[in-house]
């Protein structure tokens, strides 16, 4: 309704490329979102799962979606997928799959602009190197149940699945012993049977890749434990991989996502928790994260310091529910916005009123109170910019600061509805560093206002106008701006870009950004003088799900009645 009433405009033809795991949910989720935003859809399912996609499309057409609006294009990624993404007529790409393919797609579309001269949006949801931190205060029985479901459900073929279990040394032996016991009870076979816990992996190629990794670990001298009860004859023919536990010497031994039933374990010393958190962040991935502990300070430390889109406290780390745990990662794990999150549909539009998102959230806040503590703190530097602009008689900048202050959602945490015994929150947080590219002072200052409005810090190219603008500002604001000699160097860190200028410059910037190593970074392109910067392009979203029943019951129930 909002989208209709608001005079929003769709992007145009959107290509949806989905993976084989969750062949119905991810396929139909992408398609439904693109259609809801008013875009015609070209849907390319994974080559392993075209039949489920065909059936889904049949049902959608039967339900009344006009035929020309939704087209199914099954086929190989390298041919059909690449052909679609490379077509000039395509105005948006939604992709879920591996980080490697997402990078290819980014490079493919980097030089292309839409009719309004803006970069083609790419929403990429990719893999993870998901960790769970378990300290010695955690309840071992519960840890084991949650580890087994997180690592081995769907034979570990979930992007959210647990890959590295980090155990505090003091209780590690006990947890590992019980975990091995649980693995020995698990049943491997055809998942059609209710008694079966773990099914096959998707195909022979996947099986060979996973087994090669396991053998590599054996060759390195790592302890490898594999066990399960084999059920039925299929096990001899099918592409089954035994549930596997591998003890690593350190977190960073694992270099890439192993998409199967392989759980890695590392031990850590309590005093080294900060270092462990650094290693988890250094992987560059940031999809899911779990923590099991009874100590509130440890929960806060982990949740506040790990970069991951979906965090789970004292529970398993899989099975995100739409509307309860909006799903999506950071860094190498995805571009955002989160699937099923409140910002998702807006990314699939070419135009929307400036205040549409703020109004959307206002409606939520009428139902439950949002926590704005962080936002209020973050906005202080924007107030400093506004005061400076007022004293310099820059009335347009004053008005812009006021508008951004009103619209910014960054730093706000909201409670989402969910089952009893669970507390689910959704927070909007700043991206760390925003590269600001403009060739005049007014545009650069507008960019700075947007950056400060979300609580981020700015990166300016050393030279004009960046150098002069920075020098004129109060010290407090200078501290939020880093001048760099050459932004295109890999060592210059930024996770968003705002660009003002003409389309040839913008094309060059997009291509340059796409060449950099690391995560996919989006470029928000505007023409000179257009200061309607979309603040949502400068934020990340976090979902935290806490099992409140873990620490002896849900105290909030006592207040009912
Ligand atoms: P994949 O990257 O191999 O393939 C995904 C899709 O991309 C398929 O449809 C494939 O045909 C297509 N494709 C491949 N090469 C292409 C190219 N050159 N151009 C255009 N399209 C191309 O991934 P997969 O093996 O199908 O799925 C598993 C991966 O997906 C894992 O890494 C997993 O973590 C990730 N995943 C992420 C999420 C998430 O929400 N973050 C969800 C599910 C799966």
């Amino acid at each position: 309704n909002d989208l209709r009433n608001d005079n929003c405009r769709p992007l145009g033809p959107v290509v949806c490329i989905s993976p084989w795991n969750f062949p119905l949910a991810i396929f139909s989720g992408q398609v439904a979102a693109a259609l809801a935003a008013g875009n015609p859809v070209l849907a390319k399912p994974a080559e392993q799962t075209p039949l489920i996609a065909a059936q889904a499309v049949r049902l959608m057409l039967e339900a009344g979606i006009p035929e020309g609006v939704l087209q199914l294009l099954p086929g190989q990624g390298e041919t059909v997928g690449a052909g679609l993404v490379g077509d000039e007529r395509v105005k948006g790409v939604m992709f879920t799959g591996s980080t490697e393919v997402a990078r290819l797609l980014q490079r493919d579309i980097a030089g292309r602009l839409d009719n309004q001269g803006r970069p083609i949006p790419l929403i990429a949801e990719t893999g993870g190197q998901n960790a769970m931190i378990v300290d010695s205060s955690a309840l071992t029985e519960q840890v084991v149940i949650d580890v087994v479901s997180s690592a081995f459900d769907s034979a570990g073929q979930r992007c959210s699945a647990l890959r590295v279990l980090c155990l505090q040394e003091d209780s590690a032996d006990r947890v590992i012993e019980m975990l091995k016991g649980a693995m020995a009870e698990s049943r491997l076979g055809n998942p059609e049977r209710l008694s079966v816990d773990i099914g096959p992996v998707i195909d022979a190629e996947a099986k060979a890749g996973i087994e090669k990794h396991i053998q590599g670990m054996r060759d390195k001298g790592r302890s490898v434990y594999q066990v399960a009860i084999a059920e039925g004859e299929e096990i001899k023919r099918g592409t089954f991989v035994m549930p596997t536990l591998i003890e690593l010497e350190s977190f960073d031994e694992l270099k890439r996502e192993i998409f199967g039933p392989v759980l890695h374990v590392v031990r850590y010393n309590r005093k080294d928790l900060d270092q462990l958190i650094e290693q988890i962040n250094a992987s560059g991935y940031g999809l899911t994260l779990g923590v099991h502990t009874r100590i509130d300070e440890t929960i806060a430390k982990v949740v506040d310091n790990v970069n991951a889109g979906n965090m789970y406290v004292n529970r398993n780390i899989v099975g995100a529910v739409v509307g309860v745990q909006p799903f999506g990662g950071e860094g190498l794990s995805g571009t955002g916005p989160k699937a099923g999150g409140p910002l998702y549909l807006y990314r699939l539009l070419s135009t929307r009123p400036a205040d549409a998102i703020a109004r959307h959230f206002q409606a939520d806040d009428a139902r439950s109170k949002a926590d704005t503590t962080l936002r209020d703190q973050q906005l202080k530097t924007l107030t400093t910019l506004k005061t400076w602009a007022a004293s310099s008689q820059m009335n347009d900048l004053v008005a812009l600061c006021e508008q951004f202050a009103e619209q910014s959602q960054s730093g706000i945490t909201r409670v989402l509805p969910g089952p009893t015994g669970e507390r689910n929150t959704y927070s909007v947080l700043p991206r760390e560093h925003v590269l600001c590219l403009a060739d005049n002072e007014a545009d650069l200052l507008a960019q700075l206002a947007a950056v400060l409005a979300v609580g981020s810090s700015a990166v300016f190219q050393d030279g004009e106008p960046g150098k002069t603008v920075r020098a004129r500002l109060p010290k407090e604001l200078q501290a939020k701006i880093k001048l760099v000699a050459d932004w295109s160097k890999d060592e210059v860190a930024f996770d968003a870009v705002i660009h003002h200028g003409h389309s040839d410059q913008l094309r060059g910037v997009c291509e340059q950004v796409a060449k950099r190593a690391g995560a996919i970074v989006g470029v928000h392109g505007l023409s000179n003088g257009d200061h309607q910067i979309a603040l949502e392009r400068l934020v990340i979203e976090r979902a935290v799900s806490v099992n409140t029943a873990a620490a002896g019951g849900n105290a909030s129930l006592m207040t009912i009645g």
Side-chain angles (χ1 to χ4, degrees):
N1 261 347
D2 277 5
L3 298 187
R4 270 202 304 263
N5 297 340
D6 266 351
N7 247 339
C8 297
R9 290 274 167 277
L11 291 170
V14 168
V15 168
C16 295
I17 297 182
S18 45
W20 50 262
N21 71 326
F22 297 107
L24 179 63
I26 293 179
F27 176 82
S28 47
Q30 289 181 342
V31 169
L35 287 174
N39 302 291
V41 170
L42 303 145
K44 198 214 81 68
E47 42 273 56
Q48 296 89 340
T49 52
L51 298 180
I52 294 178
Q55 183 63 8
V57 169
R58 198 170 298 136
L59 290 172
M60 288 183 203
L61 296 179
E62 248 175 60
I65 291 172
E67 218 164 282
V69 163
L70 171 59
Q71 307 274 349
L72 178 70
L73 289 131
Q76 295 291 323
E78 296 78 3
T79 51
V80 178
L84 286 169
V85 172
D87 193 299
E88 289 287 327
R89 290 165 293 183
V90 165
K91 299 292 183 261
V93 177
M94 301 177 83
F95 171 81
T96 307
S98 60
T99 307
E100 295 74 28
V101 174
R103 293 302 311 257
L104 286 179
L105 302 191
Q106 183 203 18
R107 290 190 185 140
D108 231 24
I109 60 171
R112 241 165 62 212
L113 305 179
D114 68 12
N115 302 339
Q116 287 142 313
R118 288 179 305 205
I120 304 287
L122 167 66
I123 301 180
E125 299 183 38
T126 52
Q129 200 63 288
N130 312 313
M132 182 188 280
I133 299 175
V134 176
D135 78 4
S136 62
S137 72
L139 181 64
T140 307
E141 287 79 357
Q142 196 195 341
V143 169
V144 168
I145 292 170
D146 290 341
V147 167
V148 166
S149 61
S150 301
F152 301 128
D153 274 9
S154 313
Q157 300 169 110
R158 297 178 178 221
C159 49
S160 52
L162 175 59
R163 308 290 175 209
V164 190
L165 173 63
C166 310
L167 296 173
Q168 189 181 325
E169 279 167 359
D170 313 73
S171 53
D173 284 338
R174 220 161 74 85
V175 176
I176 291 173
E177 188 190 343
M178 209 180 274
L179 191 54
K180 286 180 173 174
M183 286 167 69
E185 294 291 316
S186 63
R187 287 168 189 274
L188 188 68
N190 185 342
E192 255 176 23
R193 270 187 241 122
L194 279 178
S195 55
V196 163
D197 301 299
I198 303 173
V201 297
I202 185 74
D203 53 26
E205 193 187 334
K207 178 179 156 85
I210 297 163
E211 286 183 341
K212 188 165 165 227
H213 166 77
I214 297 170
Q215 189 53 44
M217 285 292 168
R218 266 200 200 99
D219 296 345
K220 265 175 95 177
R222 301 292 167 262
S223 119
V224 174
Y225 179 79
Q226 289 189 299
V227 70
I229 300 166
E231 276 230 343
E233 284 300 300
E234 308 83 347
I235 199 105
K236 296 190 194 122
R237 301 188 303 275
T239 50
F240 291 90
V241 176
M242 287 281 242
T244 305
L245 188 153
I246 303 175
E247 271 212 57
L248 301 180
E249 288 188 349
S250 75
F251 189 93
D252 45 23
E253 257 189 276
L254 198 59
K255 299 289 180 218
R256 60 186 180 89
E257 180 190 44
I258 304 300
F259 209 63
V262 183
L263 175 66
H264 304 87
V265 177
V266 291
R267 297 172 189 238
Y268 73 94
N269 190 299
R270 173 142 194 92
K271 69 174 177 13
D272 299 330
L273 181 60
D274 289 322
Q275 246 168 287
L276 177 68
I277 290 174
E278 269 171 37
Q279 284 182 339
I280 293 172
N281 287 338
S283 77
Y285 290 93
L287 194 51
T288 61
L289 175 102
V291 52
H292 263 272
T293 174
R294 293 292 180 269
I295 303 169
D296 286 345
E297 289 77 11
T298 307
I299 296 174
K301 179 179 241 179
V302 172
V303 170
D304 292 347
N305 292 294
V306 176
N307 303 329
N310 286 68
M311 312 226 202
Y312 298 92
V313 180
N314 290 325
R315 50 155 290 180
N316 67 27
I317 65 169
V318 289
V321 174
V322 174
V324 182
Q325 294 108 10
F327 190 75
E330 300 166 15
L332 294 174
S333 295
T335 56
K338 280 180 182 293
L343 303 178
Y344 201 45
L345 292 186
Y346 291 103
R347 192 77 185 94
L348 295 162
L349 296 170
S350 71
T351 341
R352 57 155 179 86
D355 64 346
I357 291 181
R359 275 193 285 126
H360 170 101
F361 280 112
Q362 266 165 19
D364 279 358
D365 295 345
R367 286 190 287 274
S368 75
K369 197 171 151 25
D371 178 354
T372 61
T373 322
L374 180 60
R375 184 187 110 112
D376 299 344
Q377 204 181 316
Q378 283 177 178
L379 284 178
K380 284 186 184 142
T381 49
L382 184 67
T383 309
T384 309
L385 179 66
K386 188 177 124 183
T387 311
W388 173 83
S391 68
S392 315
Q393 272 90 49
M394 300 169 98
N395 297 338
D396 289 351
L397 184 57
V398 173
L400 196 62
C401 290
E402 282 167 0
Q403 181 197 323
F404 285 159
E406 195 129 304
Q407 285 168 6
S408 178
Q409 300 298 313
S410 179
I412 303 184
T413 293
R414 295 176 167 92
V415 177
L416 297 183
T420 302
E422 211 175 81
R423 181 181 155 83
N424 292 288
T425 55
Y426 165 82
S427 307
V428 180
L429 295 168
R431 288 186 184 271
E432 267 181 76
H433 310 286
V434 181
L435 174 65
C436 297
L437 298 172
D439 56 14
N440 67 75
E441 292 195 2
D443 289 344
L444 195 61
L445 282 166
Q447 295 180 359
L448 181 64
V451 170
L452 298 178
V454 298
S456 194
S457 69
V459 177
F460 285 4
Q461 175 74 35
D462 199 354
E464 293 313 323
K467 202 169 166 181
T468 312
V469 166
R470 184 174 179 276
R472 278 167 58 202
L473 291 168
K475 287 263 167 317
E476 185 195 341
L477 298 182
Q478 287 185 8
K480 299 287 276 179
I481 304 167
K482 192 172 173 193
L483 277 182
V484 296
D486 180 359
W487 67 262
S488 66
K489 292 268 182 289
D490 269 356
E491 60 271 18
V492 178
F494 55 84
D495 45 3
V497 182
I498 316 175
H499 177 269
H500 274 91
H502 59 73
S503 46
D504 286 340
Q505 292 168 327
L506 176 59
R507 209 173 279 127
V509 166
C510 292
E511 282 167 352
Q512 196 70 42
V513 169
K515 275 192 205 135
R516 286 164 50 97
I520 293 178
V521 173
V523 179
H524 184 21
L526 301 108
S527 37
N528 288 114
D530 177 2
H531 293 166
Q532 292 308 317
I533 297 168
L535 299 182
E536 73 274 15
R537 301 290 302 276
L538 313 179
V539 298
I540 52 170
E541 304 164 277
R542 292 256 167 94
V544 180
S545 180
V546 182
N547 171 7
T548 49
N554 180 356
S556 70
L557 290 178
M558 289 194 280
T559 61
I560 291 178

